[in-house]
Amino acid sequence: GNSVTQMEGPVTLSEEAFLTINCTYTATGYPSLFWYVQYPGEGLQLLLKATKADDKGSNKGFEATYRKETTSFHLEKGSVQVSDSAVYFCARHNNNDMRFGAGTRLTVKP
Amino acid sequence: DTAVSQTPKYLVTQMGNDKSIKCEQNLGHDTMYWYKQDSKKFLKIMFSYNNKELIINETVPNRFSPKSPDKAHLNLHINSLELGDSAVYFCASSQSEGRAETQYFGPGTRLLVL
């Protein structure tokens, strides 16, 4: 099965709402964790990452903390904008093995 | 300047044909990848090359054959195309195969097999 599980979408929020997209992973050892974002018609681009336990990745107001005890890397943003509408992918990389979650589509309405 | 480029952007072809997708990166990276994204956006790695050597080959039909003439290029050739091959194919690259490396994705090639 997939070793990265993320919240199923689609998620629809109003502008300035709080966002959480849950992500959990399975892996042996110490994977690096990533959030990638895919805007319509484009390839994925890195949003943020964390490479060891308790690290917090942050970018553009998004944050995620590497929680080894709960094997989670939940994505949060305090106030979303219309321009944040995209598909968000959680991923883990360990031992030459890169796995992505199924993606969560976020739509932010004005 | 485009960091990771793919050609063509769109590819519409008949079942049974053979086609190639080209990928080039100008980032000086050592590692390149091919991913397949299906209609539900699920992204699955197909191949990974490091310095022109194959390091990951997931369960992919033999009809798919990657070729890396140099470390800046990783092309994907597909023989005897099937309807189920319709998807978006993404090329990506990273500085190395290390677990902390960021991958840089191309814009994708949208393949439709009729």
Side-chain angles (χ1 to χ4, degrees):
Chain A
N2 197 342
S3 50
V4 179
T5 304
Q6 63 181 100
M7 188 170 128
E8 276 191 37
V11 174
T12 302
L13 296 173
S14 297
E15 208 164 22
E16 298 184 5
F18 183 84
L19 169 72
T20 300
I21 302 178
N22 289 341
C23 172
T24 58
Y25 67 92
T26 57
T28 56
Y30 303 95
S32 290
L33 303 174
F34 304 80
W35 277 100
Y36 282 83
V37 58
Q38 184 178 28
Y39 297 104
E42 297 183 10
L44 280 70
Q45 55 186 273
L46 180 71
L47 180 60
L48 52 85
K49 68 179 178 181
T51 59
K52 61 182 189 295
D54 300 324
D55 270 2
K56 179 187 282 189
S58 60
N59 185 25
K60 300 180 182 179
F62 291 89
E63 292 183 341
T65 300
Y66 189 143
R67 300 283 188 207
K68 189 165 169 56
E69 64 276 13
T70 54
T71 61
S72 65
F73 194 53
H74 305 322
L75 182 69
E76 296 183 338
K77 185 173 186 181
S79 177
V80 293
Q81 306 300 312
V82 172
S83 57
D84 293 327
S85 298
V87 181
Y88 292 82
F89 292 88
C90 185
R92 71 113 177 95
H93 191 188
N94 194 38
N95 296 331
N96 281 337
D97 185 20
M98 182 73 162
R99 301 287 170 173
F100 285 83
T104 302
R105 181 180 298 278
L106 170 67
T107 301
V108 180
K109 297 191 171 179
Chain B
D1 284 344
T2 304
V4 182
S5 58
Q6 299 178 223
T7 52
K9 191 170 182 180
Y10 299 96
L11 186 52
V12 182
T13 188
Q14 300 287 330
M15 249 186 352
N17 285 349
D18 302 338
K19 290 293 177 186
S20 291
I21 307 172
K22 294 186 176 181
C23 177
E24 177 181 3
Q25 54 95 3
N26 63 7
L27 297 167
H29 288 170
D30 287 344
T31 308
M32 296 185 72
Y33 312 82
W34 275 109
Y35 288 90
K36 179 181 180 181
Q37 186 176 47
D38 63 24
S39 57
K40 295 183 178 178
K41 297 291 188 184
F42 185 71
L43 195 69
K44 183 173 168 54
I45 192 165
M46 300 173 69
F47 301 102
S48 171
Y49 270 70
N50 188 59
N51 276 319
K52 303 192 298 172
E53 298 293 324
L54 179 68
I55 55 172
I56 292 174
N57 182 357
E58 290 291 310
T59 307
V60 174
N62 293 345
R63 300 180 295 102
F64 289 81
S65 54
K67 284 190 171 47
S68 183
D70 55 61
K71 73 174 193 178
H73 295 84
L74 181 61
N75 304 323
L76 184 65
H77 188 75
I78 315 170
N79 288 327
S80 303
L81 279 154
E82 299 179 357
L83 294 177
D85 298 333
S86 296
V88 182
Y89 292 83
F90 287 102
C91 178
S93 73
S94 61
Q95 183 64 59
S96 73
E97 57 188 303
R99 68 174 188 84
E101 295 294 335
T102 297
Q103 293 188 17
Y104 295 80
F105 284 77
T109 295
R110 284 144 186 85
L111 171 65
L112 178 61
V113 182
L114 303 174

